[in-house]
Amino acid sequence: MRSSPNLPIGALSYPAPQSKTHDQQQGRNMSQQKRSVSVIGLGPMGQSMVKAFLKAGVEVTVWNRSADKADAMVELGAKKAATVAEALNANEVTVLSLTHYAAMYSVLEQAADQLNGKVIFNLSSDSPEKARAGGKWVREHGAEFVSGGVMSAGDNIEHPASYIFYSGPKEIFEAHAELLRPLSPQEYLGVDDGLAQVFYQALLTTFHPWLLAFDQATAMISKAGHDIAQFVPFAIRSSQAYPYFMEEFSVANQNGGWADLASLKMMVAGAQHIIDASEEVGVDATLSHASQEFWNKAVAASEEAGRAVSTYELMRGAAESK
């Protein structure tokens, strides 16, 4: 969560008693209002959401296909709904934390006639088009809809790096942003239901290869007879350069992508060195072979086009049109 700025000691002095202003009275009334939400889907992420809500003093009603997970949340202070309809009817706002959008249909179809007038925040992962279709379906049943993508350190939504993308009607998001604030810092992107998933999946696109690459790197260290713990500080130190590369290559990609034939050939050679170092000690280098294949494609496309063609162009499918 974002921390509050440090205040000078003088800022903590108490003012003389005053009569309550309209804003103060309104704030007091709002604080007395019941804050409540339903959460459907109690995998690791759903459970983390329930715990965050409860910690913030929000009343939570839960439903899950397997009752044992719901029972575990009840022990922490949540209320258990016996049916999907009961969960929807318990509160105006329902948060979905499911495996994918197909699960949303299988769950909400059990009580589709209860959706009218409700607000659904679907924080499940899926493709942007499936999020758009899901939003359309929910609205056709009389409910409001906002999609989301949870960027977190595993299921630790309280980690300082965690936040949530939201997209959909701005007025609906803003009306319930305060209720959802305990989950993580919020990043509202725009009205397109699919936009949260565009950004979410784009970030996972960088995370998945990184995760596999780190496994390959540490396997290489270990099978070479060395200590992974000794290697990790250097990996962290090296990663501090990543923001620089992101900024540089983002500018290049906005202008068609970075490419230089000599450098592309150097990347092919560099990938081969990684492959050799991995396979010499029996480590699977599939990921490095895939990287080398892209560099080779860029070299071949450059030689055919008579100009440098970037891997960015290849991935966009734009090289052939130039």
Side-chain angles (χ1 to χ4, degrees):
M1 292 291 187
R2 294 189 179 98
S3 59
S4 301
N6 293 325
L7 296 174
I9 293 176
L12 298 178
S13 59
Y14 295 96
Q18 301 178 27
S19 60
K20 289 184 174 65
T21 66
H22 171 74
D23 288 345
Q24 288 173 327
Q25 183 66 43
Q26 185 179 46
R28 185 178 69 83
N29 291 340
M30 289 180 66
S31 68
Q32 291 176 344
Q33 291 176 359
K34 171 187 171 185
R35 292 195 302 156
S36 61
V37 67
S38 295
V39 176
I40 291 179
L42 298 175
M45 184 61 70
Q47 292 179 47
S48 292
M49 291 178 182
V50 172
K51 292 173 184 176
F53 278 131
L54 292 173
K55 184 177 178 180
V58 178
E59 184 179 288
V60 186
T61 298
V62 298
W63 182 89
N64 192 69
R65 197 178 301 275
S66 56
D68 57 325
K69 292 180 180 178
D71 291 338
M73 295 299 98
V74 169
E75 291 180 4
L76 298 178
K79 297 180 179 180
K80 179 180 175 181
T83 64
V84 174
E86 186 178 330
L88 290 172
N89 287 328
N91 299 292
E92 178 187 8
V93 176
T94 293
V95 173
L96 304 183
S97 180
L98 303 166
T99 306
H100 40 54
Y101 270 66
M104 180 193 79
Y105 297 119
S106 67
V107 168
L108 294 186
E109 282 173 351
Q110 299 177 39
D113 59 341
Q114 303 298 313
L115 283 169
N116 189 50
K118 301 300 182 180
V119 181
I120 303 298
F121 280 80
N122 193 339
L123 305 188
S124 311
S125 173
D126 216 314
S127 76
E129 281 301 318
K130 289 178 180 176
R132 294 180 185 112
K136 182 175 182 291
W137 183 89
V138 169
R139 293 187 187 104
E140 286 174 347
H141 287 81
E144 299 289 354
F145 177 87
V146 176
S147 68
V150 184
M151 300 306 307
S152 63
D155 57 0
N156 183 3
I157 61 176
E158 293 187 347
H159 190 280
S162 296
Y163 58 96
I164 301 178
F165 289 127
Y166 291 95
S167 66
K170 188 174 183 180
E171 66 277 12
I172 302 302
F173 166 74
E174 290 182 341
H176 304 286
E178 190 61 33
L179 174 65
L180 300 178
R181 203 171 300 282
L183 297 185
S184 277
Q186 301 166 337
E187 297 292 344
Y188 175 78
L189 298 176
V191 299
D192 173 13
D193 290 329
L195 190 52
Q197 289 301 317
V198 172
F199 276 63
Y200 176 72
Q201 300 303 344
L203 286 174
L204 289 187
T205 299
T206 64
F207 178 68
H208 282 203
W210 173 85
L211 192 61
L212 293 171
F214 190 72
D215 282 346
Q216 181 180 338
T218 50
M220 189 192 310
I221 294 293
S222 178
K223 292 208 70 175
H226 300 287
D227 185 5
I228 291 175
Q230 183 184 5
F231 167 76
V232 170
F234 297 106
I236 294 173
R237 182 175 170 184
S238 178
S239 71
Q240 293 172 1
Y242 293 173
Y244 165 79
F245 287 115
M246 290 181 197
E247 290 173 357
E248 291 291 310
F249 280 97
S250 68
V251 172
N253 290 350
Q254 290 174 65
N255 293 281
W258 166 85
D260 173 81
L261 185 56
S263 296
L264 290 172
K265 290 181 176 179
M266 186 182 300
M267 296 303 289
V268 172
Q272 188 60 52
H273 301 158
I274 298 170
I275 291 167
D276 291 343
S278 298
E279 293 181 348
E280 282 175 3
V281 291
V283 170
D284 189 322
T286 300
L287 190 65
S288 298
H289 279 288
S291 299
Q292 187 183 54
E293 182 179 352
F294 269 108
W295 301 123
N296 273 321
K297 284 182 178 179
V299 169
S302 299
E303 292 175 341
E304 182 178 350
R307 66 173 181 85
V309 175
S310 68
T311 51
Y312 174 78
E313 280 187 81
L314 293 176
M315 291 182 181
R316 274 184 57 93
E320 295 178 359
S321 64
K322 289 190 177 183

PDB file of all heavy atoms in Angstrom, residues 10 24 29 31 38 51-52 56 58 65 69 75-76 116-117 127 129 144 162 175 210 238 251 272 278 287 303 321:
ATOM      1  N   GLY A  10       5.103  19.643  14.176  1.00  0.00           N
ATOM      2  CA  GLY A  10       4.108  20.690  14.370  1.00  0.00           C
ATOM      3  C   GLY A  10       2.771  20.362  13.748  1.00  0.00           C
ATOM      4  O   GLY A  10       1.736  20.846  14.177  1.00  0.00           O
ATOM      5  N   GLN A  24     -17.198  17.854   7.555  1.00  0.00           N
ATOM      6  CA  GLN A  24     -16.855  16.960   8.661  1.00  0.00           C
ATOM      7  C   GLN A  24     -18.043  16.082   9.023  1.00  0.00           C
ATOM      8  O   GLN A  24     -17.901  14.892   9.280  1.00  0.00           O
ATOM      9  CB  GLN A  24     -16.412  17.788   9.873  1.00  0.00           C
ATOM     10  CG  GLN A  24     -15.032  18.446   9.694  1.00  0.00           C
ATOM     11  CD  GLN A  24     -14.730  19.379  10.845  1.00  0.00           C
ATOM     12  OE1 GLN A  24     -15.621  20.014  11.415  1.00  0.00           O
ATOM     13  NE2 GLN A  24     -13.459  19.471  11.196  1.00  0.00           N
ATOM     14  N   ASN A  29     -20.877  10.853   8.816  1.00  0.00           N
ATOM     15  CA  ASN A  29     -22.009  10.039   8.389  1.00  0.00           C
ATOM     16  C   ASN A  29     -21.567   8.923   7.455  1.00  0.00           C
ATOM     17  O   ASN A  29     -22.058   7.795   7.535  1.00  0.00           O
ATOM     18  CB  ASN A  29     -23.051  10.929   7.694  1.00  0.00           C
ATOM     19  CG  ASN A  29     -23.739  11.875   8.665  1.00  0.00           C
ATOM     20  OD1 ASN A  29     -23.731  11.636   9.872  1.00  0.00           O
ATOM     21  ND2 ASN A  29     -24.320  12.957   8.148  1.00  0.00           N
ATOM     22  N   SER A  31     -18.655   7.509   7.422  1.00  0.00           N
ATOM     23  CA  SER A  31     -17.913   6.506   8.168  1.00  0.00           C
ATOM     24  C   SER A  31     -18.842   5.565   8.907  1.00  0.00           C
ATOM     25  O   SER A  31     -18.467   4.448   9.246  1.00  0.00           O
ATOM     26  CB  SER A  31     -16.949   7.186   9.154  1.00  0.00           C
ATOM     27  OG  SER A  31     -17.674   7.842  10.184  1.00  0.00           O
ATOM     28  N   SER A  38     -19.617  -8.713  -1.463  1.00  0.00           N
ATOM     29  CA  SER A  38     -19.609 -10.169  -1.618  1.00  0.00           C
ATOM     30  C   SER A  38     -18.396 -10.553  -2.443  1.00  0.00           C
ATOM     31  O   SER A  38     -18.016  -9.835  -3.377  1.00  0.00           O
ATOM     32  CB  SER A  38     -20.886 -10.650  -2.311  1.00  0.00           C
ATOM     33  OG  SER A  38     -22.021 -10.403  -1.502  1.00  0.00           O
ATOM     34  N   LYS A  51      -9.474 -11.448   3.226  1.00  0.00           N
ATOM     35  CA  LYS A  51      -8.693 -11.053   4.406  1.00  0.00           C
ATOM     36  C   LYS A  51      -8.436  -9.552   4.416  1.00  0.00           C
ATOM     37  O   LYS A  51      -8.497  -8.908   5.472  1.00  0.00           O
ATOM     38  CB  LYS A  51      -7.384 -11.826   4.437  1.00  0.00           C
ATOM     39  CG  LYS A  51      -7.553 -13.318   4.697  1.00  0.00           C
ATOM     40  CD  LYS A  51      -6.229 -14.067   4.540  1.00  0.00           C
ATOM     41  CE  LYS A  51      -6.433 -15.572   4.710  1.00  0.00           C
ATOM     42  NZ  LYS A  51      -5.172 -16.327   4.472  1.00  0.00           N
ATOM     43  N   ALA A  52      -8.138  -8.979   3.238  1.00  0.00           N
ATOM     44  CA  ALA A  52      -7.880  -7.538   3.157  1.00  0.00           C
ATOM     45  C   ALA A  52      -9.134  -6.745   3.481  1.00  0.00           C
ATOM     46  O   ALA A  52      -9.085  -5.727   4.194  1.00  0.00           O
ATOM     47  CB  ALA A  52      -7.363  -7.179   1.766  1.00  0.00           C
ATOM     48  N   ALA A  56      -9.824  -4.313   6.883  1.00  0.00           N
ATOM     49  CA  ALA A  56     -10.223  -2.910   6.751  1.00  0.00           C
ATOM     50  C   ALA A  56     -11.596  -2.631   7.353  1.00  0.00           C
ATOM     51  O   ALA A  56     -12.107  -1.509   7.253  1.00  0.00           O
ATOM     52  CB  ALA A  56     -10.213  -2.512   5.279  1.00  0.00           C
ATOM     53  N   VAL A  58     -14.472  -4.139   6.481  1.00  0.00           N
ATOM     54  CA  VAL A  58     -15.559  -4.320   5.519  1.00  0.00           C
ATOM     55  C   VAL A  58     -16.266  -5.638   5.814  1.00  0.00           C
ATOM     56  O   VAL A  58     -15.616  -6.668   6.038  1.00  0.00           O
ATOM     57  CB  VAL A  58     -15.019  -4.328   4.075  1.00  0.00           C
ATOM     58  CG1 VAL A  58     -16.142  -4.570   3.076  1.00  0.00           C
ATOM     59  CG2 VAL A  58     -14.309  -3.019   3.761  1.00  0.00           C
ATOM     60  N   ARG A  65     -17.418 -22.695  -4.737  1.00  0.00           N
ATOM     61  CA  ARG A  65     -17.965 -23.986  -5.166  1.00  0.00           C
ATOM     62  C   ARG A  65     -17.700 -25.068  -4.130  1.00  0.00           C
ATOM     63  O   ARG A  65     -18.553 -25.897  -3.838  1.00  0.00           O
ATOM     64  CB  ARG A  65     -17.365 -24.371  -6.523  1.00  0.00           C
ATOM     65  CG  ARG A  65     -18.153 -25.460  -7.245  1.00  0.00           C
ATOM     66  CD  ARG A  65     -17.529 -25.758  -8.588  1.00  0.00           C
ATOM     67  NE  ARG A  65     -17.486 -24.590  -9.455  1.00  0.00           N
ATOM     68  CZ  ARG A  65     -18.486 -24.195 -10.226  1.00  0.00           C
ATOM     69  NH1 ARG A  65     -19.639 -24.853 -10.218  1.00  0.00           N
ATOM     70  NH2 ARG A  65     -18.366 -23.126 -10.993  1.00  0.00           N
ATOM     71  N   LYS A  69     -13.461 -23.975   1.714  1.00  0.00           N
ATOM     72  CA  LYS A  69     -12.748 -22.697   1.630  1.00  0.00           C
ATOM     73  C   LYS A  69     -13.603 -21.568   2.192  1.00  0.00           C
ATOM     74  O   LYS A  69     -13.086 -20.645   2.835  1.00  0.00           O
ATOM     75  CB  LYS A  69     -12.342 -22.406   0.191  1.00  0.00           C
ATOM     76  CG  LYS A  69     -11.278 -23.362  -0.343  1.00  0.00           C
ATOM     77  CD  LYS A  69     -10.909 -23.041  -1.783  1.00  0.00           C
ATOM     78  CE  LYS A  69      -9.841 -24.003  -2.293  1.00  0.00           C
ATOM     79  NZ  LYS A  69      -9.497 -23.741  -3.713  1.00  0.00           N
ATOM     80  N   GLU A  75     -14.418 -18.483   9.601  1.00  0.00           N
ATOM     81  CA  GLU A  75     -13.658 -18.490  10.853  1.00  0.00           C
ATOM     82  C   GLU A  75     -12.925 -17.170  11.075  1.00  0.00           C
ATOM     83  O   GLU A  75     -12.614 -16.802  12.211  1.00  0.00           O
ATOM     84  CB  GLU A  75     -12.654 -19.652  10.845  1.00  0.00           C
ATOM     85  CG  GLU A  75     -13.314 -21.019  10.927  1.00  0.00           C
ATOM     86  CD  GLU A  75     -12.295 -22.153  10.917  1.00  0.00           C
ATOM     87  OE1 GLU A  75     -11.079 -21.844  10.926  1.00  0.00           O
ATOM     88  OE2 GLU A  75     -12.714 -23.320  10.897  1.00  0.00           O
ATOM     89  N   LEU A  76     -12.647 -16.445   9.985  1.00  0.00           N
ATOM     90  CA  LEU A  76     -11.956 -15.158  10.086  1.00  0.00           C
ATOM     91  C   LEU A  76     -12.919 -13.992  10.245  1.00  0.00           C
ATOM     92  O   LEU A  76     -12.490 -12.854  10.461  1.00  0.00           O
ATOM     93  CB  LEU A  76     -11.084 -14.937   8.848  1.00  0.00           C
ATOM     94  CG  LEU A  76      -9.968 -15.943   8.608  1.00  0.00           C
ATOM     95  CD1 LEU A  76      -9.234 -15.620   7.319  1.00  0.00           C
ATOM     96  CD2 LEU A  76      -8.992 -15.952   9.784  1.00  0.00           C
ATOM     97  N   ASN A 116     -29.909  -8.160 -11.763  1.00  0.00           N
ATOM     98  CA  ASN A 116     -30.460  -6.834 -12.028  1.00  0.00           C
ATOM     99  C   ASN A 116     -30.201  -5.880 -10.864  1.00  0.00           C
ATOM    100  O   ASN A 116     -30.529  -6.167  -9.712  1.00  0.00           O
ATOM    101  CB  ASN A 116     -31.968  -6.921 -12.289  1.00  0.00           C
ATOM    102  CG  ASN A 116     -32.529  -5.599 -12.776  1.00  0.00           C
ATOM    103  OD1 ASN A 116     -32.003  -4.990 -13.694  1.00  0.00           O
ATOM    104  ND2 ASN A 116     -33.599  -5.142 -12.132  1.00  0.00           N
ATOM    105  N   GLY A 117     -29.579  -4.723 -11.172  1.00  0.00           N
ATOM    106  CA  GLY A 117     -29.304  -3.716 -10.163  1.00  0.00           C
ATOM    107  C   GLY A 117     -28.018  -3.920  -9.393  1.00  0.00           C
ATOM    108  O   GLY A 117     -27.655  -3.076  -8.557  1.00  0.00           O
ATOM    109  N   SER A 127      -8.511 -13.144 -21.590  1.00  0.00           N
ATOM    110  CA  SER A 127      -8.132 -12.294 -22.715  1.00  0.00           C
ATOM    111  C   SER A 127      -8.986 -11.030 -22.732  1.00  0.00           C
ATOM    112  O   SER A 127     -10.105 -11.012 -22.185  1.00  0.00           O
ATOM    113  CB  SER A 127      -8.304 -13.039 -24.031  1.00  0.00           C
ATOM    114  OG  SER A 127      -9.678 -13.115 -24.390  1.00  0.00           O
ATOM    115  N   GLU A 129     -10.718  -9.727 -25.186  1.00  0.00           N
ATOM    116  CA  GLU A 129     -11.997  -9.943 -25.869  1.00  0.00           C
ATOM    117  C   GLU A 129     -12.979 -10.690 -24.981  1.00  0.00           C
ATOM    118  O   GLU A 129     -14.187 -10.429 -25.006  1.00  0.00           O
ATOM    119  CB  GLU A 129     -11.785 -10.695 -27.185  1.00  0.00           C
ATOM    120  CG  GLU A 129     -11.293  -9.817 -28.310  1.00  0.00           C
ATOM    121  CD  GLU A 129     -12.249  -8.666 -28.617  1.00  0.00           C
ATOM    122  OE1 GLU A 129     -13.484  -8.893 -28.627  1.00  0.00           O
ATOM    123  OE2 GLU A 129     -11.773  -7.536 -28.820  1.00  0.00           O
ATOM    124  N   GLU A 144     -24.256  -3.689 -13.512  1.00  0.00           N
ATOM    125  CA  GLU A 144     -23.110  -2.900 -13.953  1.00  0.00           C
ATOM    126  C   GLU A 144     -21.869  -3.792 -13.903  1.00  0.00           C
ATOM    127  O   GLU A 144     -21.834  -4.793 -13.173  1.00  0.00           O
ATOM    128  CB  GLU A 144     -22.912  -1.678 -13.059  1.00  0.00           C
ATOM    129  CG  GLU A 144     -24.082  -0.720 -13.044  1.00  0.00           C
ATOM    130  CD  GLU A 144     -24.231   0.031 -14.361  1.00  0.00           C
ATOM    131  OE1 GLU A 144     -23.356  -0.109 -15.243  1.00  0.00           O
ATOM    132  OE2 GLU A 144     -25.222   0.766 -14.503  1.00  0.00           O
ATOM    133  N   SER A 162       2.291  -4.421  -5.331  1.00  0.00           N
ATOM    134  CA  SER A 162       0.990  -4.881  -5.826  1.00  0.00           C
ATOM    135  C   SER A 162       0.059  -3.711  -6.148  1.00  0.00           C
ATOM    136  O   SER A 162       0.073  -2.683  -5.469  1.00  0.00           O
ATOM    137  CB  SER A 162       0.315  -5.785  -4.794  1.00  0.00           C
ATOM    138  OG  SER A 162       1.075  -6.959  -4.583  1.00  0.00           O
ATOM    139  N   ALA A 175     -17.596   5.258  -8.152  1.00  0.00           N
ATOM    140  CA  ALA A 175     -18.625   5.118  -7.123  1.00  0.00           C
ATOM    141  C   ALA A 175     -18.254   4.072  -6.074  1.00  0.00           C
ATOM    142  O   ALA A 175     -18.713   4.148  -4.925  1.00  0.00           O
ATOM    143  CB  ALA A 175     -19.960   4.759  -7.766  1.00  0.00           C
ATOM    144  N   TRP A 210      10.665 -14.212 -17.945  1.00  0.00           N
ATOM    145  CA  TRP A 210      11.635 -13.900 -16.900  1.00  0.00           C
ATOM    146  C   TRP A 210      11.697 -15.018 -15.863  1.00  0.00           C
ATOM    147  O   TRP A 210      12.780 -15.432 -15.429  1.00  0.00           O
ATOM    148  CB  TRP A 210      11.279 -12.578 -16.199  1.00  0.00           C
ATOM    149  CG  TRP A 210      12.170 -12.340 -15.022  1.00  0.00           C
ATOM    150  CD1 TRP A 210      13.404 -11.764 -15.012  1.00  0.00           C
ATOM    151  CD2 TRP A 210      11.931 -12.749 -13.666  1.00  0.00           C
ATOM    152  NE1 TRP A 210      13.943 -11.784 -13.748  1.00  0.00           N
ATOM    153  CE2 TRP A 210      13.058 -12.377 -12.907  1.00  0.00           C
ATOM    154  CE3 TRP A 210      10.866 -13.390 -13.028  1.00  0.00           C
ATOM    155  CZ2 TRP A 210      13.143 -12.627 -11.539  1.00  0.00           C
ATOM    156  CZ3 TRP A 210      10.957 -13.640 -11.669  1.00  0.00           C
ATOM    157  CH2 TRP A 210      12.080 -13.257 -10.934  1.00  0.00           C
ATOM    158  N   SER A 238      21.939  -6.792 -11.497  1.00  0.00           N
ATOM    159  CA  SER A 238      21.788  -6.676 -12.943  1.00  0.00           C
ATOM    160  C   SER A 238      20.399  -6.183 -13.321  1.00  0.00           C
ATOM    161  O   SER A 238      20.234  -5.406 -14.269  1.00  0.00           O
ATOM    162  CB  SER A 238      22.057  -8.032 -13.601  1.00  0.00           C
ATOM    163  OG  SER A 238      21.882  -7.967 -14.990  1.00  0.00           O
ATOM    164  N   VAL A 251      10.898   3.663 -26.493  1.00  0.00           N
ATOM    165  CA  VAL A 251      11.002   4.767 -27.452  1.00  0.00           C
ATOM    166  C   VAL A 251      11.286   4.220 -28.847  1.00  0.00           C
ATOM    167  O   VAL A 251      10.672   4.630 -29.836  1.00  0.00           O
ATOM    168  CB  VAL A 251      12.108   5.756 -27.022  1.00  0.00           C
ATOM    169  CG1 VAL A 251      12.345   6.795 -28.120  1.00  0.00           C
ATOM    170  CG2 VAL A 251      11.720   6.441 -25.722  1.00  0.00           C
ATOM    171  N   GLN A 272      23.710 -18.369 -28.585  1.00  0.00           N
ATOM    172  CA  GLN A 272      24.395 -19.656 -28.702  1.00  0.00           C
ATOM    173  C   GLN A 272      25.304 -19.913 -27.515  1.00  0.00           C
ATOM    174  O   GLN A 272      25.409 -21.042 -27.026  1.00  0.00           O
ATOM    175  CB  GLN A 272      25.216 -19.713 -30.003  1.00  0.00           C
ATOM    176  CG  GLN A 272      25.804 -21.085 -30.294  1.00  0.00           C
ATOM    177  CD  GLN A 272      24.735 -22.155 -30.439  1.00  0.00           C
ATOM    178  OE1 GLN A 272      23.794 -21.988 -31.217  1.00  0.00           O
ATOM    179  NE2 GLN A 272      24.865 -23.245 -29.691  1.00  0.00           N
ATOM    180  N   SER A 278      24.414 -23.699 -20.892  1.00  0.00           N
ATOM    181  CA  SER A 278      23.333 -24.455 -20.244  1.00  0.00           C
ATOM    182  C   SER A 278      23.444 -25.938 -20.544  1.00  0.00           C
ATOM    183  O   SER A 278      23.414 -26.791 -19.630  1.00  0.00           O
ATOM    184  CB  SER A 278      21.966 -23.930 -20.710  1.00  0.00           C
ATOM    185  OG  SER A 278      21.777 -22.592 -20.345  1.00  0.00           O
ATOM    186  N   LEU A 287      14.196 -22.183 -23.843  1.00  0.00           N
ATOM    187  CA  LEU A 287      13.900 -20.760 -23.873  1.00  0.00           C
ATOM    188  C   LEU A 287      14.956 -20.002 -24.681  1.00  0.00           C
ATOM    189  O   LEU A 287      14.628 -19.119 -25.472  1.00  0.00           O
ATOM    190  CB  LEU A 287      13.824 -20.213 -22.447  1.00  0.00           C
ATOM    191  CG  LEU A 287      13.284 -18.802 -22.275  1.00  0.00           C
ATOM    192  CD1 LEU A 287      11.821 -18.725 -22.697  1.00  0.00           C
ATOM    193  CD2 LEU A 287      13.437 -18.354 -20.821  1.00  0.00           C
ATOM    194  N   GLU A 303      18.329  -9.174 -44.118  1.00  0.00           N
ATOM    195  CA  GLU A 303      19.090  -9.437 -45.342  1.00  0.00           C
ATOM    196  C   GLU A 303      18.176  -9.460 -46.558  1.00  0.00           C
ATOM    197  O   GLU A 303      18.535  -8.987 -47.641  1.00  0.00           O
ATOM    198  CB  GLU A 303      19.860 -10.744 -45.191  1.00  0.00           C
ATOM    199  CG  GLU A 303      20.980 -10.638 -44.151  1.00  0.00           C
ATOM    200  CD  GLU A 303      21.690 -11.962 -43.899  1.00  0.00           C
ATOM    201  OE1 GLU A 303      21.097 -13.018 -44.230  1.00  0.00           O
ATOM    202  OE2 GLU A 303      22.809 -11.947 -43.352  1.00  0.00           O
ATOM    203  N   SER A 321       5.060  -5.498 -44.665  1.00  0.00           N
ATOM    204  CA  SER A 321       4.308  -4.402 -45.290  1.00  0.00           C
ATOM    205  C   SER A 321       5.198  -3.225 -45.681  1.00  0.00           C
ATOM    206  O   SER A 321       4.750  -2.315 -46.329  1.00  0.00           O
ATOM    207  CB  SER A 321       3.207  -3.896 -44.335  1.00  0.00           C
ATOM    208  OG  SER A 321       3.768  -3.345 -43.166  1.00  0.00           O
TER     209      SER A 321
END
